[in-house]
């Protein structure tokens, strides 16, 4: 749960530096995407909170009950926090570990199959949005496409992993090549963090 501190949401504290995800995500991308885009969503939401019905609520609660500008900014903070907090420095052949590895094999036959489907859904999302891996109520893994600021928690799913497919996420490093960006991200996924989200 992401809670406000003294009435305001703060930028997530990342366990790596802005240059540490290169060459998958360059320092320039991080400075713009994390440093400017996410900061703007945080500033916008914090400006809208005082005196509103959303004051004091967790980010997840706000995403579930809001619409319009509040929803867009809260959704984008939650999405970006989950995106940036799931990464680590690049590792060649970085494969899922622990419980999530077992669930992926059970529900997608193989890790390769899962990654291909995840990439295809990310590449095939028209416009801006996010591709997500989530857990259903009955404990099954599902991949969903979510437009703009949407997050699977609004559908009652438990979100585990996400790749941002807004152009601002990849245009500096990959230009128009969204599929190349999606494929590269696997080497920086911190599967320990994904396992934590399984609960
Ligand atoms: Mn983004």
């Amino acid at each position: 749960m992401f809670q406000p501190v003294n009435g305001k949401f703060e930028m997530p504290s990342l366990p790596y530096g802005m240059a540490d995800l290169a060459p998958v995500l360059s320092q320039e991308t991080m400075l713009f995407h994390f440093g400017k885009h996410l900061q703007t969503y945080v500033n916008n939401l914090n400006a809208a909170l005082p005196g509103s019905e959303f004051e004091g609520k967790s980010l997840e609660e706000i995403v579930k009950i809001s619409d319009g500008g509040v929803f867009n900014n809260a959704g984008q903070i939650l999405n970006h926090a989950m995106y940036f907090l799931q990464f680590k420095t690049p590792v060649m052949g970085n494969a899922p570990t622990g419980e999530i590895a077992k669930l992926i094999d059970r529900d997608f036959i193989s890790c390769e199959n899962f990654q291909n489907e995840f990439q295809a859904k990310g590449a095939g999302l028209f416009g801006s949005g996010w591709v997500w891996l989530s857990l259903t109520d009955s404990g099954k893994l599902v991949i969903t496409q979510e437009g703009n600021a949407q997050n699977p928690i609004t559908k009652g799913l438990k979100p585990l992993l996400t790749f941002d497919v807004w152009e601002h996420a990849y245009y500096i490093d990959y230009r128009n090549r969204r599929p190349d960006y999606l494929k590269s991200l696997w080497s920086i996924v911190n599967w320990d963090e994904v396992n934590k989200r399984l609960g």
Side-chain angles (χ1 to χ4, degrees), residues 33 76 80 130 164 166 168-169:
H33 194 192
Q76 284 293 73
H80 284 94
W130 302 77
D164 187 346
W166 284 58
H168 69 224

Side-chain angles (χ1 to χ4, degrees), residues 1 10 12 26 36 51 57 65 78-80 83 103 110 114 116-117 134 136 143-144 149 153 169 174-175 179 181:
M1 287 289 237
E10 296 177 334
S26 67
K36 293 185 190 290
K57 291 194 159 56
I65 63 175
L78 180 58
N79 297 348
H80 284 94
Y83 175 78
L103 296 180
S110 70
F114 157 69
N116 286 338
E117 190 179 325
S134 302
T136 67
I143 300 171
T144 63
I153 60 170
Y174 299 86
R175 297 300 171 188
Y181 152 77

Side-chain angles (χ1 to χ4, degrees), residues 3-199:
Q3 301 285 355
V5 177
N6 299 323
K8 287 184 181 301
F9 287 99
E10 296 177 334
M11 289 287 282
S13 173
L14 301 182
Y16 53 81
M18 292 289 101
D20 292 347
L21 304 184
V24 176
L25 299 175
S26 67
Q27 181 176 29
E28 188 184 1
T29 284
M30 291 300 296
L31 290 173
F32 275 87
H33 194 192
F34 179 80
K36 293 185 190 290
H37 284 277
L38 176 53
Q39 183 71 64
T40 300
Y41 298 128
V42 170
N43 294 347
N44 288 345
L45 182 64
N46 284 336
L49 291 179
S52 77
E53 64 188 290
F54 307 110
E55 219 175 347
K57 291 194 159 56
S58 73
L59 194 54
E60 290 86 341
E61 253 181 300
I62 296 173
V63 168
K64 284 181 192 166
I65 63 175
S66 64
D67 57 17
V70 169
F71 173 80
N72 288 338
N73 285 292
Q76 284 293 73
I77 299 169
L78 180 58
N79 297 348
H80 284 94
M82 294 191 70
Y83 175 78
F84 288 115
L85 287 169
Q86 75 193 356
F87 292 144
K88 63 175 183 182
T89 53
V91 176
M92 286 282 285
N94 182 40
T97 54
E99 187 61 19
I100 191 67
K102 288 181 203 159
L103 296 180
I104 285 172
D105 284 346
R106 185 196 67 187
D107 293 345
F108 297 98
I109 317 291
S110 70
C111 172
E112 189 188 5
N113 210 45
F114 157 69
Q115 290 183 335
N116 286 338
E117 190 179 325
F118 198 83
Q119 285 168 223
K121 288 218 166 121
L125 193 157
F126 187 77
S128 294
W130 302 77
V131 58
W132 289 88
L133 176 69
S134 302
L135 201 63
T136 67
D137 266 355
S138 53
K140 188 178 156 41
L141 292 177
V142 286
I143 300 171
T144 63
Q145 296 172 317
E146 307 291 342
N148 298 315
Q150 274 293 342
N151 184 294
I153 60 170
T154 65
K155 299 173 175 170
L157 298 170
K158 180 190 268 195
L160 303 172
L161 172 78
T162 189
F163 288 179
D164 187 346
V165 299
W166 284 58
E167 284 187 349
H168 69 224
Y170 58 88
Y171 232 78
I172 291 171
D173 296 327
Y174 299 86
R175 297 300 171 188
N176 59 318
R177 303 188 317 276
R178 191 196 284 183
D180 291 351
Y181 152 77
L182 292 167
K183 197 172 179 187
S184 299
L185 287 180
W186 297 118
S187 68
I188 57 170
V189 171
N190 180 352
W191 290 104
D192 291 343
E193 173 63 23
V194 178
N195 274 310
K196 260 190 232 162
R197 291 173 187 178
L198 270 175

